[in-house]
Amino acid sequence: MAIRKPTAPADKSAAMAEILASSASGSEFKVGALIEGTVVSVAGNEVFVDIGYKSAGTVGIEEFGGEEVVPGAKVTVMIVQLENDKTGMVDISKRRADEKIRWEKIQARYTEGSVVTGTVKSVTRGGLLVRIDDVEAFLPGSQIEVSPVKELEPYIGQTFEMKVLKISNERRNLIVSRRELIEGALAEKREQLLSTLQKGEIRKGKVKNITDFGAFVDLDGLDGLLHITDMSWGRLKHPGEILKVGDEIDVMVLDIDRERERVSLGLKQTQPNPWDAIQEQFPVGARVKGKVVNLTAYGAFVEIAPGIEGLVHISEFSWTKRVARASDMLSVGDEVQVVVLSIDMENQKIALGIRQTQDNPWDTVQERYPVGSRVKGKVRNFTAYGAFVELEEGIDGMIHISDMSWTRKVNHPLEVLKKGEEVEAVVLDVNAKEQRISLGLKQAQTDPWADIAAKYQVGSVVKGKVSKLASFGAFVELEDGVDGLVHISQISEERVDKVKDALEVGQEVEARVMKVDRAERRIGLSIRAMSMTEDEVKAMGEGSAEGGAETAKASSGTADSFGGLGAAFDNAFANVEWQPGN
């Protein structure tokens, strides 16, 4: 800085008179007032300035900021103190005067809400310091961009337009916002865009954000929602499978809510719908190759073309296997051969079948298992009414409980068979359409009743064990599993009120054959008849065969005569459903 020596004014007396005249009023001499003064001299680091007051003031030379100080030069200063306690001189400041002048210019030029231009100077706590017309302004970090900013250093040195949020007279600074200008511009652009958007048109956009349910696409100022269901004609688990932030894509406007400023977009709608030509591409009966993309409890979804999926129901997995869950047969990612079973264009559904790609073994089951043929198999499962026998993988035959024994009444198949047991049976019926084969276990064995009449003649003595007690008598198991019934009236010569008082299960007894009914498969026995004579037995047999009351009277003439035994057995049989083994 060049400092010049003071020079005497041309007309000192006139100048002093002017100052004194100005000072005479004294109205402008107060703390904080701006006064124009004249540099009188420079001594060291102090500059003496005459402001027309009773004494000159001093200003530190550093307040001139490197400017050339020339005696006689005019300078505007601010009165800080009218009389310094130590020097007795007036305290003045050029720096404060300059700041006040600049601030007054800012106040005159800008108001809250006005737009200013400033340059970022540095990073400060919570934001950036910006210089606007030599005035320091604060730009909060939340007001820099529309979205949060993590790194502030890259903004240093950049010049932006900003909006004045607040003017602080106390601190003499500004609080500004760049975000409000951006949002305002975006709002204006958004409003203009909303007024021109039309349903069905295709627009370019940029993927701004991705969520689990879709993606937000920036349409140059307006964000639209692209839902995951409108991204692809095929199956998507997450939008990230086909999109990433920053991707530029073409989307179709699906819906517009101008009042709420919401736009729904579609990506798949910009591409041909594969369902439009599905019937030509995949006619019913066509055999195609596909990939398993999803498994459910009721079936598997198979993608047979991009965007085209069909369902293979568990009932269409196999001709013979009973599939409980799709996951028992397939896994996601498996490639399979399928046949198109049906197409529902309205609901965009395709039914597929896997078993149709294989020969149906039931089509030839009658040839392999003709009625009357003998077959072997293992007992696979039971029901209350029968047992299933596996003839080959996936082909079962069912033995009904009525076809398990010639001589016993079977109440449950477990009485005769065991799971895993190998049995021989006869094919009784084949229904390929219903996929059913009826088998007979007893039909594979000799019927003991074929010669039962010859073996158990009326009047003959037989031995056996009591197998079951009933209110009307006791069943006695004879050989070959044949049971005979001892009526309660034929247990003893004495009157028997309760069968259990005279006999017990497992007890060995001897009895005479009283009645043989081959058609009904019934044998009537009498323990009481063991004490009869041959003539009585003969007469009893005749009476039993005739079954008439007159014969009974002729034989004995009593109500308990053996000649009426046939009727007694018939009455007993009529009161109970009795078959061999009951």
Short mmCIF file of all heavy atoms in Angstrom, two decimals, residues 406 442 447-453 515-523 570 573 578-580:
data_model
loop_
_atom_site.label_atom_id
_atom_site.label_comp_id
_atom_site.label_asym_id
_atom_site.label_seq_id
_atom_site.Cartn_x
_atom_site.Cartn_y
_atom_site.Cartn_z
N TRP A 406 -64.61 -117.77 2.60
CA TRP A 406 -65.82 -118.55 2.33
C TRP A 406 -66.56 -118.88 3.62
O TRP A 406 -67.77 -119.08 3.63
CB TRP A 406 -65.46 -119.88 1.65
CG TRP A 406 -64.97 -119.74 0.23
CD1 TRP A 406 -63.73 -120.00 -0.23
CD2 TRP A 406 -65.75 -119.36 -0.91
NE1 TRP A 406 -63.65 -119.78 -1.58
CE2 TRP A 406 -64.90 -119.39 -2.03
CE3 TRP A 406 -67.09 -118.98 -1.09
CZ2 TRP A 406 -65.33 -119.07 -3.31
CZ3 TRP A 406 -67.53 -118.66 -2.37
CH2 TRP A 406 -66.65 -118.70 -3.47
N LYS A 442 -61.06 -115.15 -1.60
CA LYS A 442 -61.66 -116.46 -1.40
C LYS A 442 -61.82 -117.22 -2.71
O LYS A 442 -61.80 -118.45 -2.74
CB LYS A 442 -62.99 -116.34 -0.67
CG LYS A 442 -64.11 -115.68 -1.47
CD LYS A 442 -65.39 -115.57 -0.65
CE LYS A 442 -66.53 -114.99 -1.47
NZ LYS A 442 -67.78 -114.85 -0.66
N ASP A 447 -63.93 -123.69 -2.11
CA ASP A 447 -65.05 -123.40 -1.23
C ASP A 447 -65.36 -124.65 -0.40
O ASP A 447 -65.81 -125.67 -0.94
CB ASP A 447 -66.27 -123.00 -2.07
CG ASP A 447 -67.45 -122.59 -1.20
OD1 ASP A 447 -67.31 -122.63 0.05
OD2 ASP A 447 -68.50 -122.23 -1.77
N PRO A 448 -65.14 -124.61 0.92
CA PRO A 448 -65.39 -125.80 1.75
C PRO A 448 -66.86 -126.21 1.78
O PRO A 448 -67.19 -127.35 2.12
CB PRO A 448 -64.90 -125.38 3.14
CG PRO A 448 -64.97 -123.90 3.13
CD PRO A 448 -64.66 -123.47 1.72
N TRP A 449 -67.72 -125.30 1.40
CA TRP A 449 -69.15 -125.63 1.44
C TRP A 449 -69.56 -126.47 0.24
O TRP A 449 -70.71 -126.93 0.16
CB TRP A 449 -70.00 -124.36 1.48
CG TRP A 449 -70.02 -123.73 2.85
CD1 TRP A 449 -69.16 -122.81 3.33
CD2 TRP A 449 -70.94 -124.03 3.89
NE1 TRP A 449 -69.46 -122.49 4.63
CE2 TRP A 449 -70.57 -123.23 5.01
CE3 TRP A 449 -72.03 -124.90 4.02
CZ2 TRP A 449 -71.26 -123.27 6.20
CZ3 TRP A 449 -72.72 -124.93 5.23
CH2 TRP A 449 -72.33 -124.13 6.31
N ALA A 450 -68.64 -126.70 -0.66
CA ALA A 450 -68.97 -127.51 -1.84
C ALA A 450 -69.36 -128.94 -1.43
O ALA A 450 -70.25 -129.55 -2.02
CB ALA A 450 -67.81 -127.52 -2.81
N ASP A 451 -68.66 -129.44 -0.42
CA ASP A 451 -68.98 -130.82 0.03
C ASP A 451 -69.36 -130.85 1.50
O ASP A 451 -69.17 -131.84 2.19
CB ASP A 451 -67.80 -131.75 -0.22
CG ASP A 451 -66.54 -131.26 0.46
OD1 ASP A 451 -66.55 -130.13 1.00
OD2 ASP A 451 -65.55 -132.01 0.49
N ILE A 452 -69.89 -129.72 1.99
CA ILE A 452 -70.20 -129.64 3.42
C ILE A 452 -71.33 -130.57 3.82
O ILE A 452 -71.35 -131.14 4.92
CB ILE A 452 -70.53 -128.17 3.80
CG1 ILE A 452 -70.28 -127.96 5.30
CG2 ILE A 452 -71.96 -127.81 3.46
CD1 ILE A 452 -68.85 -127.84 5.67
N ALA A 453 -72.31 -130.75 2.90
CA ALA A 453 -73.46 -131.61 3.23
C ALA A 453 -73.03 -133.06 3.42
O ALA A 453 -73.54 -133.78 4.28
CB ALA A 453 -74.52 -131.50 2.14
N LYS A 515 -79.04 -129.40 11.51
CA LYS A 515 -79.55 -128.79 10.28
C LYS A 515 -78.36 -128.35 9.44
O LYS A 515 -77.39 -127.83 9.96
CB LYS A 515 -80.45 -127.59 10.61
CG LYS A 515 -81.01 -126.87 9.38
CD LYS A 515 -81.91 -125.72 9.80
CE LYS A 515 -82.34 -124.94 8.57
NZ LYS A 515 -83.72 -125.15 8.20
N VAL A 516 -78.43 -128.55 8.15
CA VAL A 516 -77.42 -128.10 7.20
C VAL A 516 -78.13 -127.34 6.09
O VAL A 516 -78.96 -127.91 5.38
CB VAL A 516 -76.61 -129.27 6.62
CG1 VAL A 516 -75.61 -128.75 5.59
CG2 VAL A 516 -75.88 -130.04 7.71
N ASP A 517 -77.81 -126.05 5.96
CA ASP A 517 -78.41 -125.21 4.91
C ASP A 517 -77.27 -124.70 4.04
O ASP A 517 -76.62 -123.71 4.36
CB ASP A 517 -79.19 -124.05 5.53
CG ASP A 517 -80.00 -123.28 4.49
OD1 ASP A 517 -79.64 -123.37 3.29
OD2 ASP A 517 -80.97 -122.59 4.86
N ARG A 518 -77.02 -125.42 2.94
CA ARG A 518 -75.89 -125.08 2.08
C ARG A 518 -76.09 -123.73 1.40
O ARG A 518 -75.14 -122.96 1.23
CB ARG A 518 -75.70 -126.18 1.04
CG ARG A 518 -74.52 -125.94 0.12
CD ARG A 518 -74.34 -127.07 -0.86
NE ARG A 518 -73.31 -126.77 -1.82
CZ ARG A 518 -73.02 -127.55 -2.85
NH1 ARG A 518 -73.70 -128.69 -3.03
NH2 ARG A 518 -72.06 -127.22 -3.69
N ALA A 519 -77.32 -123.44 1.02
CA ALA A 519 -77.60 -122.18 0.32
C ALA A 519 -77.29 -120.98 1.22
O ALA A 519 -76.71 -119.99 0.79
CB ALA A 519 -79.05 -122.15 -0.15
N GLU A 520 -77.69 -121.09 2.51
CA GLU A 520 -77.46 -119.99 3.45
C GLU A 520 -76.15 -120.15 4.22
O GLU A 520 -75.80 -119.30 5.04
CB GLU A 520 -78.62 -119.92 4.45
CG GLU A 520 -79.97 -119.59 3.83
CD GLU A 520 -80.00 -118.19 3.25
OE1 GLU A 520 -79.25 -117.31 3.78
OE2 GLU A 520 -80.72 -117.97 2.27
N ARG A 521 -75.44 -121.29 3.95
CA ARG A 521 -74.16 -121.57 4.61
C ARG A 521 -74.32 -121.54 6.13
O ARG A 521 -73.61 -120.83 6.83
CB ARG A 521 -73.09 -120.57 4.15
CG ARG A 521 -72.75 -120.71 2.68
CD ARG A 521 -71.72 -119.67 2.25
NE ARG A 521 -71.43 -119.81 0.84
CZ ARG A 521 -70.40 -120.51 0.34
NH1 ARG A 521 -69.57 -121.11 1.17
NH2 ARG A 521 -70.21 -120.61 -0.95
N ARG A 522 -75.25 -122.37 6.59
CA ARG A 522 -75.53 -122.45 8.02
C ARG A 522 -75.57 -123.92 8.47
O ARG A 522 -76.08 -124.78 7.76
CB ARG A 522 -76.87 -121.79 8.34
CG ARG A 522 -76.91 -120.30 8.02
CD ARG A 522 -78.32 -119.77 8.16
NE ARG A 522 -78.38 -118.34 7.89
CZ ARG A 522 -79.53 -117.65 7.83
NH1 ARG A 522 -80.68 -118.29 8.00
NH2 ARG A 522 -79.51 -116.36 7.59
N ILE A 523 -75.04 -124.15 9.68
CA ILE A 523 -75.10 -125.47 10.29
C ILE A 523 -75.69 -125.32 11.68
O ILE A 523 -75.20 -124.51 12.48
CB ILE A 523 -73.71 -126.13 10.37
CG1 ILE A 523 -73.11 -126.32 8.98
CG2 ILE A 523 -73.79 -127.46 11.14
CD1 ILE A 523 -71.72 -126.89 9.00
N ASP A 570 -84.25 -121.59 12.45
CA ASP A 570 -84.66 -120.57 11.49
C ASP A 570 -85.03 -119.28 12.20
O ASP A 570 -84.70 -118.18 11.75
CB ASP A 570 -85.84 -121.06 10.65
CG ASP A 570 -85.42 -122.14 9.66
OD1 ASP A 570 -84.19 -122.20 9.37
OD2 ASP A 570 -86.29 -122.88 9.18
N PHE A 573 -81.85 -117.65 13.34
CA PHE A 573 -81.14 -117.03 12.23
C PHE A 573 -81.85 -115.77 11.73
O PHE A 573 -81.23 -114.84 11.25
CB PHE A 573 -81.02 -118.02 11.07
CG PHE A 573 -80.17 -119.22 11.43
CD1 PHE A 573 -80.35 -120.43 10.79
CD2 PHE A 573 -79.19 -119.13 12.42
CE1 PHE A 573 -79.57 -121.54 11.11
CE2 PHE A 573 -78.41 -120.24 12.74
CZ PHE A 573 -78.61 -121.46 12.08
N TRP A 578 -76.41 -113.58 10.45
CA TRP A 578 -75.37 -114.58 10.75
C TRP A 578 -74.87 -115.21 9.47
O TRP A 578 -75.63 -115.73 8.67
CB TRP A 578 -75.92 -115.67 11.68
CG TRP A 578 -74.92 -116.74 11.96
CD1 TRP A 578 -73.75 -116.60 12.64
CD2 TRP A 578 -75.00 -118.11 11.58
NE1 TRP A 578 -73.07 -117.79 12.71
CE2 TRP A 578 -73.83 -118.74 12.06
CE3 TRP A 578 -75.95 -118.87 10.87
CZ2 TRP A 578 -73.57 -120.09 11.86
CZ3 TRP A 578 -75.68 -120.22 10.69
CH2 TRP A 578 -74.50 -120.81 11.18
N GLN A 579 -73.59 -115.07 9.28
CA GLN A 579 -72.89 -115.74 8.19
C GLN A 579 -71.74 -116.50 8.80
O GLN A 579 -71.37 -116.27 9.96
CB GLN A 579 -72.40 -114.73 7.15
CG GLN A 579 -73.50 -113.97 6.43
CD GLN A 579 -74.27 -114.87 5.49
OE1 GLN A 579 -73.76 -115.92 5.10
NE2 GLN A 579 -75.49 -114.49 5.15
N PRO A 580 -71.16 -117.39 8.07
CA PRO A 580 -69.99 -118.12 8.62
C PRO A 580 -68.98 -117.14 9.20
O PRO A 580 -68.57 -116.18 8.53
CB PRO A 580 -69.45 -118.87 7.42
CG PRO A 580 -70.65 -119.05 6.54
CD PRO A 580 -71.49 -117.84 6.72
#
